[in-house]
Amino acid sequence: MNIIAIGCEYTGTTTLMLRLQEWMKDAFGQTMIFHDHFKLPNASGHPPLDPDIIIFDEEEKRLVMEMTPKLKELFTRYTLFYHSPSKSSASTVLGGLHIGHHIDELIYAPMYFGYGGPGEPGDRRVEALSVERGLLKHQPDTVLVLMRASADVVRTRMRSAPHPDGVVRDEDIEHVLQRFDEEFARSAIRNKFTLDTSASTPEDTFQEFLCKMEPLWTESDRLRMLTHAR
């Protein structure tokens, strides 16, 4: 299983992954961490399984944001490729759960962090193509899930429960939603589907996720489900 959930902040990517973690305990007999460190300053940690080990504290976050664009680009490129399959890791990569991954970098880096634009060093369009080539070669069963919500719903969620390290600005919501739609359509990942959380509950969204995932589970996933069926 290798799942990448993408979408503008407040569309429900983290909520989906938290629910999937819980479901996996019964379905597979075990769960796995999800990687949610592709938006600065949160470039480390695996919530919620090890919150006290490697998630940055406020001082560390400040230091990250004070880095020059050149250093931010280098730092996030390392994070991105560390969590991407390669020839050397192909025999050991078992898959994983990711939020944002290369598409977060592609959208947010040029908008908010001052690096990765077209023709610049570390052009995130070029890096995204490299990541997807690796995925198609070494993890061809990767599933890309786009979380959607209307701009009004995103704006309401942002105002009622703002993220402590939020990236998206109120005035950018419509544009960011459009950019995620564009990059989802552009992605070469073959297995992909969308979930709209505008009017659905988290549980309704998760049940829709399971329905759309049904034909996409790998043989290994299905074997684990059969082994741990109750």
Side-chain angles (χ1 to χ4, degrees):
M1 173 201 308
N2 193 54
I3 298 173
I4 302 173
I6 65 169
C8 178
E9 286 188 281
Y10 303 94
T11 54
T13 53
T14 301
T15 299
L16 176 69
M17 286 300 183
L18 288 170
R19 181 66 180 87
L20 179 56
Q21 278 187 324
E22 288 300 311
W23 176 84
M24 287 176 65
K25 293 176 184 177
D26 288 331
F28 294 158
Q30 64 184 65
T31 191
M32 65 174 67
I33 60 176
F34 64 85
H35 302 281
D36 188 12
H37 32 196
F38 303 100
K39 290 186 285 290
L40 295 175
N42 294 304
S44 184
H46 307 93
L49 298 185
D50 60 355
D52 299 321
I53 300 176
I54 56 174
I55 290 181
F56 294 158
D57 62 25
E58 293 306 311
E59 175 63 10
E60 289 163 336
K61 291 176 183 177
R62 182 186 67 80
L63 292 171
V64 168
M65 296 309 292
E66 289 180 352
M67 291 193 299
T68 65
K70 185 186 296 185
L71 288 173
K72 288 175 182 173
E73 190 280 320
L74 179 65
F75 177 60
T76 56
R77 179 153 41 95
Y78 167 80
T79 301
L80 178 61
F81 280 92
Y82 180 79
H83 294 88
S84 300
S86 64
K87 182 177 180 180
S88 62
S89 66
S91 62
T92 58
V93 170
L94 299 177
L97 309 176
H98 303 81
I99 295 177
H101 206 243
H102 61 295
I103 294 181
D104 265 13
E105 270 285 277
L106 179 55
I107 293 171
Y108 292 138
M111 285 189 67
Y112 295 121
F113 303 123
Y115 65 85
E120 296 178 352
D123 184 331
R124 284 309 186 254
R125 171 70 60 202
V126 175
E127 304 298 346
L129 289 172
S130 179
V131 168
E132 292 206 347
R133 288 192 193 100
L135 289 168
L136 292 173
K137 183 173 183 179
H138 302 300
Q139 291 180 324
D141 296 317
T142 294
V143 178
L144 183 65
V145 182
L146 172 63
M147 308 293 288
R148 285 174 167 151
S150 70
D152 287 343
V153 167
V154 170
R155 192 165 277 115
T156 296
R157 292 172 182 171
M158 178 186 290
R159 292 172 179 173
S160 62
H163 295 169
D165 301 301
V167 174
V168 177
R169 299 170 186 164
D170 185 284
E171 64 271 21
D172 296 334
I173 290 172
E174 286 82 359
H175 176 66
V176 172
L177 287 168
Q178 179 182 344
R179 289 290 294 115
F180 273 101
D181 278 354
E182 290 170 353
E183 297 307 333
F184 175 78
R186 191 194 302 263
S187 173
I189 295 173
R190 292 182 287 269
N191 301 323
K192 53 185 178 179
F193 59 84
T194 65
L195 298 170
D196 193 312
T197 68
S198 299
S200 62
T201 67
E203 187 58 27
D204 287 342
T205 299
F206 184 67
Q207 293 305 317
E208 183 182 357
F209 166 82
L210 290 181
C211 182
K212 291 183 174 181
M213 274 297 300
E214 176 54 33
L216 302 177
W217 296 117
T218 66
E219 290 185 11
S220 177
D221 294 333
R222 296 183 189 281
L223 180 60
R224 283 189 289 179
M225 285 189 235
L226 287 172
T227 301
H228 296 282
R230 295 181 178 178

Coordinates of all heavy atoms in Angstrom, one line a residue, residues 56-141:
F56 N 9.2 19.2 15.5 CA 10.0 20.4 15.9 C 9.2 21.1 17.0 O 7.9 21.2 16.9 CB 10.2 21.3 14.7 CG 11.1 20.7 13.6 CD1 11.0 21.2 12.3 CD2 12.0 19.8 13.9 CE1 11.8 20.7 11.3 CE2 12.9 19.3 13.0 CZ 12.8 19.8 11.7
D57 N 9.9 21.7 17.9 CA 9.3 22.6 18.9 C 9.3 24.0 18.2 O 9.7 24.2 17.1 CB 10.0 22.6 20.2 CG 11.5 23.1 20.1 OD1 11.8 23.9 19.2 OD2 12.3 22.7 21.0
E58 N 8.7 25.0 19.0 CA 8.5 26.3 18.4 C 9.8 27.0 18.0 O 9.9 27.7 17.0 CB 7.7 27.2 19.4 CG 6.3 26.7 19.6 CD 5.5 26.5 18.3 OE1 5.5 27.5 17.5 OE2 4.9 25.5 18.1
E59 N 10.8 26.8 18.8 CA 12.1 27.4 18.5 C 12.7 26.8 17.2 O 13.2 27.5 16.4 CB 13.1 27.3 19.7 CG 14.5 27.8 19.4 CD 14.6 29.3 19.1 OE1 13.6 30.0 19.3 OE2 15.7 29.7 18.7
E60 N 12.6 25.5 17.1 CA 13.1 24.9 15.9 C 12.3 25.3 14.7 O 12.9 25.5 13.6 CB 13.0 23.4 16.1 CG 14.1 22.9 17.1 CD 13.8 21.5 17.6 OE1 12.6 21.0 17.5 OE2 14.7 20.8 18.0
K61 N 11.0 25.5 14.8 CA 10.2 26.0 13.7 C 10.6 27.4 13.3 O 10.7 27.7 12.1 CB 8.7 26.0 14.1 CG 8.1 24.6 14.2 CD 6.7 24.7 14.7 CE 6.0 23.4 14.9 NZ 4.6 23.5 15.4
R62 N 10.9 28.2 14.3 CA 11.4 29.6 13.9 C 12.7 29.5 13.2 O 12.8 30.3 12.2 CB 11.5 30.4 15.2 CG 12.0 31.8 15.0 CD 12.3 32.5 16.3 NE 13.5 32.0 17.0 CZ 14.7 32.3 16.6 NH1 15.0 33.1 15.6 NH2 15.7 31.7 17.3
L63 N 13.6 28.7 13.6 CA 14.9 28.6 12.9 C 14.7 28.1 11.5 O 15.4 28.6 10.5 CB 15.8 27.6 13.7 CG 16.3 28.2 15.0 CD1 17.0 27.1 15.8 CD2 17.2 29.4 14.9
V64 N 13.8 27.1 11.3 CA 13.5 26.7 9.9 C 13.0 27.8 9.0 O 13.5 28.0 7.9 CB 12.5 25.5 9.9 CG1 11.9 25.2 8.5 CG2 13.1 24.3 10.5
M65 N 12.1 28.6 9.5 CA 11.5 29.7 8.7 C 12.4 30.8 8.5 O 12.2 31.6 7.5 CB 10.2 30.2 9.4 CG 9.1 29.1 9.5 SD 8.7 28.3 7.9 CE 8.0 29.6 6.9
E66 N 13.5 30.9 9.3 CA 14.5 32.0 9.1 C 15.6 31.6 8.1 O 16.4 32.4 7.8 CB 15.1 32.4 10.4 CG 14.1 33.2 11.3 CD 14.7 33.6 12.6 OE1 15.8 33.1 12.9 OE2 14.0 34.3 13.4
M67 N 15.6 30.3 7.6 CA 16.5 29.9 6.6 C 16.3 30.7 5.3 O 15.2 31.1 5.0 CB 16.5 28.4 6.4 CG 16.9 27.5 7.5 SD 17.2 25.8 7.1 CE 15.5 25.3 6.6
T68 N 17.4 30.9 4.6 CA 17.3 31.5 3.3 C 16.5 30.5 2.3 O 16.4 29.3 2.6 CB 18.7 31.7 2.7 OG1 19.3 30.5 2.4 CG2 19.5 32.6 3.6
P69 N 15.9 31.1 1.3 CA 15.3 30.2 0.3 C 16.2 29.1 -0.2 O 15.7 27.9 -0.4 CB 14.9 31.1 -0.8 CG 14.6 32.4 -0.1 CD 15.7 32.5 0.9
K70 N 17.5 29.3 -0.4 CA 18.4 28.3 -0.9 C 18.5 27.2 0.1 O 18.5 26.0 -0.3 CB 19.8 28.9 -1.1 CG 20.8 27.9 -1.7 CD 22.2 28.6 -1.8 CE 22.2 29.7 -2.7 NZ 23.6 30.3 -2.9
L71 N 18.6 27.5 1.4 CA 18.7 26.5 2.4 C 17.3 25.7 2.6 O 17.3 24.5 2.8 CB 19.1 27.1 3.8 CG 20.5 27.5 3.9 CD1 20.8 28.3 5.2 CD2 21.5 26.4 3.7
K72 N 16.2 26.4 2.5 CA 14.9 25.8 2.6 C 14.8 24.8 1.4 O 14.2 23.7 1.6 CB 13.8 26.8 2.5 CG 13.6 27.6 3.8 CD 12.6 28.7 3.6 CE 12.4 29.6 4.8 NZ 11.5 30.7 4.6
E73 N 15.2 25.2 0.2 CA 15.1 24.3 -0.9 C 15.9 23.0 -0.7 O 15.4 21.9 -1.0 CB 15.6 25.0 -2.2 CG 15.3 24.3 -3.5 CD 16.3 23.2 -3.8 OE1 17.5 23.4 -3.5 OE2 15.9 22.1 -4.3
L74 N 17.1 23.2 -0.2 CA 18.0 22.0 0.0 C 17.4 21.1 1.1 O 17.3 19.9 0.9 CB 19.4 22.5 0.5 CG 20.4 21.4 0.8 CD1 20.7 20.6 -0.5 CD2 21.7 22.0 1.4
F75 N 16.9 21.7 2.2 CA 16.3 21.0 3.3 C 15.1 20.2 2.8 O 14.9 19.0 3.1 CB 16.0 21.9 4.4 CG 15.3 21.3 5.6 CD1 15.9 20.3 6.3 CD2 14.1 21.8 6.0 CE1 15.3 19.8 7.4 CE2 13.4 21.2 7.1 CZ 14.1 20.2 7.8
T76 N 14.2 20.8 2.1 CA 12.9 20.1 1.8 C 13.1 19.1 0.6 O 12.4 18.1 0.6 CB 11.8 21.2 1.3 OG1 12.3 22.0 0.3 CG2 11.4 22.0 2.5
R77 N 14.2 19.4 -0.2 CA 14.5 18.4 -1.3 C 15.0 17.1 -0.6 O 14.6 16.0 -1.1 CB 15.5 19.0 -2.2 CG 15.9 18.0 -3.3 CD 16.4 18.7 -4.6 NE 17.2 19.9 -4.3 CZ 18.5 19.9 -4.3 NH1 19.2 18.7 -4.5 NH2 19.2 21.0 -4.1
Y78 N 15.8 17.2 0.4 CA 16.2 16.1 1.1 C 15.0 15.3 1.7 O 14.9 14.1 1.6 CB 17.2 16.4 2.2 CG 17.5 15.3 3.2 CD1 18.4 14.3 2.9 CD2 16.8 15.2 4.4 CE1 18.6 13.2 3.7 CE2 17.0 14.2 5.3 CZ 17.9 13.2 4.9 OH 18.2 12.1 5.8
T79 N 14.1 16.0 2.4 CA 13.0 15.4 3.0 C 12.1 14.7 1.9 O 11.7 13.6 2.1 CB 12.1 16.5 3.7 OG1 12.9 17.1 4.7 CG2 10.9 15.8 4.3
L80 N 11.9 15.4 0.8 CA 11.1 14.8 -0.3 C 11.7 13.5 -0.8 O 11.0 12.5 -0.9 CB 10.9 15.8 -1.4 CG 10.1 15.4 -2.6 CD1 8.7 15.0 -2.2 CD2 10.1 16.5 -3.7
F81 N 13.0 13.5 -1.2 CA 13.6 12.3 -1.8 C 13.9 11.2 -0.8 O 13.9 10.1 -1.1 CB 14.8 12.7 -2.6 CG 14.4 13.3 -3.9 CD1 14.3 14.7 -4.1 CD2 14.2 12.5 -5.0 CE1 13.9 15.2 -5.3 CE2 13.8 13.0 -6.2 CZ 13.7 14.3 -6.4
Y82 N 14.0 11.6 0.5 CA 14.2 10.6 1.5 C 12.9 9.7 1.6 O 13.0 8.5 1.9 CB 14.5 11.2 2.9 CG 14.6 10.3 4.0 CD1 15.8 9.6 4.2 CD2 13.6 10.0 4.9 CE1 16.0 8.7 5.3 CE2 13.7 9.2 6.0 CZ 14.9 8.5 6.1 OH 15.0 7.6 7.2
H83 N 11.8 10.3 1.3 CA 10.5 9.6 1.3 C 10.0 9.2 0.0 O 8.8 9.1 -0.2 CB 9.4 10.5 2.1 CG 9.8 10.7 3.5 ND1 10.5 11.8 3.9 CD2 9.4 10.0 4.6 CE1 10.7 11.7 5.3 NE2 10.0 10.7 5.7
S84 N 10.9 9.1 -1.0 CA 10.5 8.7 -2.3 C 11.3 7.4 -2.7 O 12.4 7.3 -2.3 CB 10.8 9.8 -3.4 OG 10.1 11.0 -3.1
P85 N 10.7 6.5 -3.5 CA 11.4 5.3 -3.8 C 12.5 5.5 -4.8 O 12.4 6.4 -5.7 CB 10.3 4.4 -4.4 CG 9.3 5.4 -5.0 CD 9.3 6.5 -4.0
S86 N 13.5 4.7 -4.7 CA 14.6 4.7 -5.7 C 15.1 3.3 -6.0 O 14.6 2.4 -5.3 CB 15.8 5.6 -5.1 OG 16.3 4.9 -4.0
K87 N 16.0 3.2 -6.9 CA 16.5 1.9 -7.2 C 17.1 1.2 -6.0 O 16.9 0.0 -5.8 CB 17.6 2.0 -8.4 CG 18.2 0.7 -8.8 CD 19.2 0.9 -10.0 CE 19.8 -0.4 -10.4 NZ 20.7 -0.2 -11.5
S88 N 17.9 1.9 -5.2 CA 18.5 1.3 -4.1 C 17.6 0.9 -3.0 O 17.9 0.0 -2.2 CB 19.6 2.3 -3.5 OG 18.9 3.5 -3.0
S89 N 16.4 1.5 -2.9 CA 15.4 1.2 -1.9 C 14.3 0.3 -2.4 O 13.5 -0.1 -1.6 CB 14.8 2.5 -1.3 OG 14.0 3.2 -2.3
A90 N 14.3 0.0 -3.7 CA 13.1 -0.7 -4.2 C 12.8 -2.0 -3.5 O 11.7 -2.4 -3.4 CB 13.3 -0.9 -5.7
S91 N 13.9 -2.7 -3.2 CA 13.7 -4.1 -2.6 C 13.1 -4.0 -1.2 O 12.6 -5.0 -0.6 CB 15.0 -4.9 -2.6 OG 16.0 -4.2 -1.8
T92 N 13.3 -2.8 -0.5 CA 12.9 -2.7 0.9 C 11.6 -1.9 1.1 O 11.0 -1.9 2.2 CB 14.0 -2.2 1.7 OG1 14.4 -0.9 1.2 CG2 15.2 -3.1 1.7
V93 N 11.3 -1.1 0.1 CA 10.1 -0.2 0.3 C 8.8 -1.0 0.3 O 8.5 -1.7 -0.7 CB 10.1 0.9 -0.9 CG1 8.8 1.6 -0.9 CG2 11.3 1.8 -0.8
L94 N 8.1 -0.8 1.4 CA 6.8 -1.6 1.5 C 5.6 -0.7 1.2 O 4.5 -1.1 1.3 CB 6.7 -2.2 2.9 CG 7.8 -3.2 3.3 CD1 7.7 -3.6 4.7 CD2 7.8 -4.4 2.3
G95 N 5.9 0.6 1.0 CA 4.8 1.5 0.8 C 4.6 2.4 2.0 O 5.5 2.4 2.9
G96 N 3.6 3.2 2.0 CA 3.4 4.1 3.1 C 2.2 5.0 2.9 O 1.5 4.9 1.9
L97 N 2.0 5.9 3.9 CA 0.9 6.9 3.8 C 1.6 8.2 3.8 O 2.4 8.5 4.7 CB 0.0 6.7 5.0 CG -0.5 5.3 5.3 CD1 -1.4 5.3 6.6 CD2 -1.4 4.8 4.1
H98 N 1.2 9.1 2.9 CA 1.8 10.4 2.8 C 0.7 11.5 2.6 O -0.3 11.2 1.9 CB 2.7 10.5 1.6 CG 3.8 9.5 1.6 ND1 3.6 8.2 1.2 CD2 5.1 9.6 2.0 CE1 4.8 7.5 1.3 NE2 5.7 8.3 1.8
I99 N 0.9 12.6 3.2 CA 0.1 13.8 2.9 C 0.9 14.8 2.2 O 2.0 15.3 2.6 CB -0.4 14.4 4.3 CG1 -1.4 13.4 5.0 CG2 -1.2 15.7 4.0 CD1 -1.9 13.9 6.3
G100 N 0.4 15.2 1.0 CA 1.0 16.3 0.3 C 2.2 15.9 -0.6 O 2.1 16.0 -1.8
H101 N 3.2 15.4 0.0 CA 4.4 14.8 -0.7 C 4.9 15.8 -1.8 O 5.0 17.0 -1.5 CB 4.1 13.5 -1.3 CG 5.3 12.6 -1.5 ND1 5.7 12.2 -2.7 CD2 6.2 12.1 -0.6 CE1 6.8 11.4 -2.6 NE2 7.1 11.4 -1.3
H102 N 5.2 15.4 -3.0 CA 5.8 16.2 -4.0 C 4.8 17.3 -4.5 O 5.3 18.3 -5.0 CB 6.3 15.4 -5.2 CG 5.2 14.6 -5.9 ND1 4.5 13.5 -5.3 CD2 4.7 14.7 -7.2 CE1 3.7 13.0 -6.2 NE2 3.8 13.7 -7.3
I103 N 3.5 17.0 -4.4 CA 2.6 18.0 -5.0 C 2.4 19.2 -4.0 O 2.3 20.3 -4.5 CB 1.2 17.3 -5.3 CG1 1.5 16.4 -6.4 CG2 0.2 18.4 -5.7 CD1 0.3 15.6 -6.9
D104 N 2.5 19.0 -2.7 CA 2.6 20.1 -1.8 C 3.8 21.0 -2.1 O 3.6 22.2 -2.2 CB 2.7 19.6 -0.3 CG 1.4 19.5 0.4 OD1 0.4 19.6 -0.2 OD2 1.5 19.3 1.6
E105 N 4.9 20.4 -2.3 CA 6.1 21.2 -2.6 C 5.9 21.9 -3.9 O 6.3 23.1 -4.1 CB 7.3 20.2 -2.8 CG 8.1 20.0 -1.5 CD 8.9 21.2 -1.1 OE1 10.0 21.3 -1.7 OE2 8.4 22.0 -0.3
L106 N 5.4 21.3 -4.9 CA 5.2 21.9 -6.2 C 4.3 23.1 -6.2 O 4.6 24.1 -6.9 CB 4.6 20.9 -7.2 CG 4.3 21.3 -8.6 CD1 5.5 21.8 -9.3 CD2 3.7 20.1 -9.4
I107 N 3.3 23.1 -5.3 CA 2.3 24.2 -5.2 C 2.8 25.3 -4.2 O 2.8 26.5 -4.5 CB 0.9 23.7 -4.9 CG1 0.4 22.9 -6.0 CG2 0.0 24.8 -4.5 CD1 -0.9 22.1 -5.7
Y108 N 3.2 24.8 -3.0 CA 3.4 25.8 -2.0 C 4.8 26.4 -2.0 O 5.0 27.6 -1.6 CB 3.2 25.1 -0.6 CG 1.8 24.7 -0.3 CD1 1.5 23.5 0.3 CD2 0.8 25.6 -0.5 CE1 0.2 23.1 0.6 CE2 -0.5 25.2 -0.2 CZ -0.8 24.0 0.3 OH -2.1 23.7 0.7
A109 N 5.8 25.7 -2.5 CA 7.2 26.3 -2.4 C 7.3 27.6 -3.2 O 7.8 28.6 -2.6 CB 8.2 25.2 -2.9
P110 N 6.9 27.6 -4.4 CA 7.0 28.9 -5.1 C 6.1 30.0 -4.6 O 6.5 31.2 -4.6 CB 6.7 28.6 -6.6 CG 6.8 27.1 -6.7 CD 6.4 26.6 -5.3
M111 N 5.0 29.6 -4.1 CA 4.0 30.6 -3.6 C 4.4 31.3 -2.3 O 4.3 32.5 -2.1 CB 2.6 29.9 -3.4 CG 1.8 29.7 -4.6 SD 0.1 29.1 -4.2 CE -0.6 30.6 -3.5
Y112 N 4.9 30.4 -1.4 CA 5.1 30.9 0.0 C 6.5 30.9 0.5 O 6.8 31.5 1.5 CB 4.2 30.1 1.0 CG 2.7 30.3 0.7 CD1 1.9 29.2 0.4 CD2 2.1 31.5 0.8 CE1 0.6 29.3 0.2 CE2 0.8 31.7 0.5 CZ 0.0 30.6 0.2 OH -1.3 30.8 0.0
F113 N 7.4 30.1 -0.1 CA 8.7 29.9 0.5 C 9.9 30.4 -0.3 O 11.0 30.2 0.1 CB 8.9 28.4 0.9 CG 7.8 27.9 1.8 CD1 7.0 26.8 1.4 CD2 7.5 28.5 3.0 CE1 6.0 26.4 2.3 CE2 6.5 28.1 3.8 CZ 5.7 27.0 3.5
G114 N 9.6 30.9 -1.5 CA 10.6 31.6 -2.2 C 11.6 30.7 -3.0 O 12.7 31.2 -3.3
Y115 N 11.2 29.5 -3.3 CA 12.1 28.6 -4.1 C 11.3 27.7 -5.0 O 10.1 27.6 -4.8 CB 13.0 27.8 -3.2 CG 12.3 26.8 -2.3 CD1 12.0 25.5 -2.8 CD2 12.0 27.1 -1.0 CE1 11.4 24.6 -2.0 CE2 11.3 26.2 -0.2 CZ 11.0 24.9 -0.7 OH 10.4 24.0 0.1
G116 N 12.0 27.0 -5.9 CA 11.3 26.0 -6.7 C 10.5 26.4 -7.8 O 9.8 25.6 -8.4
G117 N 10.6 27.7 -8.2 CA 9.8 28.2 -9.4 C 10.4 27.7 -10.7 O 11.5 27.1 -10.7
P118 N 9.7 28.0 -11.8 CA 10.2 27.5 -13.1 C 11.5 28.1 -13.4 O 11.8 29.3 -13.3 CB 9.1 28.1 -14.1 CG 7.9 28.2 -13.2 CD 8.4 28.6 -11.8
G119 N 12.5 27.2 -13.8 CA 13.8 27.6 -14.2 C 14.7 27.9 -13.1 O 15.9 28.2 -13.3
E120 N 14.2 27.9 -11.8 CA 15.1 28.1 -10.7 C 15.8 26.9 -10.3 O 15.4 25.8 -10.6 CB 14.3 28.7 -9.5 CG 13.6 30.0 -9.8 CD 12.8 30.5 -8.6 OE1 12.6 29.7 -7.6 OE2 12.3 31.6 -8.6
P121 N 16.9 27.0 -9.5 CA 17.6 25.8 -9.0 C 16.6 25.0 -8.1 O 15.8 25.6 -7.3 CB 18.7 26.4 -8.1 CG 19.0 27.7 -8.7 CD 17.7 28.2 -9.2
G122 N 16.5 23.7 -8.3 CA 15.5 22.9 -7.6 C 14.1 23.1 -8.0 O 13.1 23.0 -7.3
D123 N 13.9 23.5 -9.3 CA 12.6 23.7 -9.9 C 11.7 22.5 -9.5 O 12.0 21.4 -9.8 CB 12.8 23.7 -11.4 CG 11.5 24.0 -12.2 OD1 10.4 23.6 -11.7 OD2 11.6 24.5 -13.3
R124 N 10.6 22.8 -8.8 CA 9.8 21.8 -8.2 C 9.0 21.0 -9.3 O 8.5 19.9 -9.0 CB 8.9 22.3 -7.1 CG 9.7 22.5 -5.8 CD 10.4 21.3 -5.4 NE 11.1 21.4 -4.1 CZ 12.4 21.5 -3.9 NH1 13.2 21.7 -5.0 NH2 12.9 21.5 -2.7
R125 N 8.8 21.6 -10.5 CA 8.2 20.8 -11.5 C 9.1 19.7 -12.0 O 8.7 18.6 -12.2 CB 7.9 21.8 -12.7 CG 7.5 21.1 -14.0 CD 6.1 20.5 -13.9 NE 5.1 21.6 -13.6 CZ 3.9 21.3 -13.1 NH1 3.6 20.1 -12.8 NH2 3.1 22.3 -12.9
V126 N 10.4 20.0 -12.1 CA 11.4 19.0 -12.5 C 11.5 18.0 -11.4 O 11.5 16.8 -11.7 CB 12.8 19.7 -12.7 CG1 13.8 18.6 -13.0 CG2 12.7 20.7 -13.9
E127 N 11.5 18.4 -10.1 CA 11.7 17.4 -9.0 C 10.4 16.5 -8.9 O 10.5 15.3 -8.7 CB 11.9 18.2 -7.7 CG 13.1 19.1 -7.7 CD 14.4 18.4 -7.9 OE1 14.5 17.2 -7.8 OE2 15.4 19.1 -8.1
A128 N 9.2 17.1 -9.2 CA 8.0 16.3 -9.1 C 8.0 15.2 -10.2 O 7.6 14.1 -10.0 CB 6.8 17.2 -9.3
L129 N 8.5 15.6 -11.4 CA 8.6 14.6 -12.5 C 9.5 13.4 -12.1 O 9.3 12.3 -12.3 CB 9.1 15.2 -13.7 CG 8.1 16.2 -14.5 CD1 8.8 16.9 -15.6 CD2 6.9 15.4 -15.0
S130 N 10.6 13.8 -11.4 CA 11.6 12.8 -11.0 C 11.0 11.9 -9.9 O 11.1 10.6 -10.0 CB 12.8 13.5 -10.4 OG 13.8 12.5 -9.9
V131 N 10.2 12.5 -9.0 CA 9.6 11.7 -8.0 C 8.5 10.7 -8.6 O 8.5 9.5 -8.3 CB 8.8 12.6 -6.9 CG1 7.9 11.7 -6.0 CG2 9.9 13.3 -6.1
E132 N 7.8 11.2 -9.5 CA 6.7 10.3 -10.1 C 7.3 9.2 -11.0 O 6.8 8.1 -11.1 CB 5.7 11.2 -10.9 CG 4.9 12.1 -10.0 CD 3.5 12.4 -10.5 OE1 3.3 12.2 -11.7 OE2 2.7 12.9 -9.7
R133 N 8.5 9.5 -11.6 CA 9.1 8.4 -12.4 C 9.5 7.3 -11.4 O 9.4 6.1 -11.7 CB 10.4 9.0 -13.1 CG 10.1 9.9 -14.3 CD 11.4 10.1 -15.1 NE 11.2 11.2 -16.1 CZ 11.6 12.4 -15.9 NH1 12.3 12.8 -14.8 NH2 11.4 13.3 -16.8
G134 N 10.0 7.7 -10.2 CA 10.4 6.7 -9.2 C 9.2 5.9 -8.7 O 9.3 4.7 -8.6
L135 N 8.1 6.6 -8.5 CA 6.9 5.9 -8.1 C 6.4 5.0 -9.1 O 6.0 3.8 -8.8 CB 5.8 7.0 -7.8 CG 6.0 7.8 -6.5 CD1 5.0 9.0 -6.5 CD2 5.9 7.0 -5.2
L136 N 6.3 5.4 -10.4 CA 5.8 4.5 -11.4 C 6.7 3.3 -11.6 O 6.2 2.2 -12.0 CB 5.7 5.3 -12.7 CG 4.7 6.4 -12.8 CD1 4.8 7.2 -14.1 CD2 3.3 5.8 -12.6
K137 N 8.0 3.5 -11.4 CA 8.9 2.3 -11.6 C 9.0 1.4 -10.4 O 8.9 0.2 -10.6 CB 10.3 2.9 -11.9 CG 11.4 1.7 -12.2 CD 12.7 2.3 -12.6 CE 13.7 1.2 -12.9 NZ 15.0 1.8 -13.4
H138 N 9.0 1.9 -9.2 CA 9.3 1.1 -8.0 C 8.0 0.9 -7.1 O 8.0 -0.1 -6.4 CB 10.3 1.8 -7.1 CG 11.6 1.9 -7.9 ND1 12.3 0.9 -8.4 CD2 12.4 3.0 -8.2 CE1 13.4 1.3 -9.0 NE2 13.5 2.6 -8.8
Q139 N 7.0 1.8 -7.3 CA 5.8 1.6 -6.5 C 4.6 1.9 -7.5 O 3.8 2.8 -7.2 CB 5.7 2.5 -5.3 CG 6.7 2.1 -4.2 CD 6.7 3.0 -3.0 OE1 6.5 4.2 -3.1 NE2 6.8 2.4 -1.8
P140 N 4.4 1.1 -8.5 CA 3.4 1.4 -9.5 C 2.0 1.3 -9.0 O 1.1 1.8 -9.7 CB 3.7 0.4 -10.6 CG 4.3 -0.8 -9.9 CD 5.2 -0.1 -8.8
D141 N 1.8 0.7 -7.9 CA 0.4 0.6 -7.3 C 0.1 1.8 -6.4 O -1.0 1.8 -5.8 CB 0.3 -0.7 -6.5 CG 0.4 -1.9 -7.3 OD1 -0.2 -2.0 -8.4 OD2 1.1 -2.9 -6.9

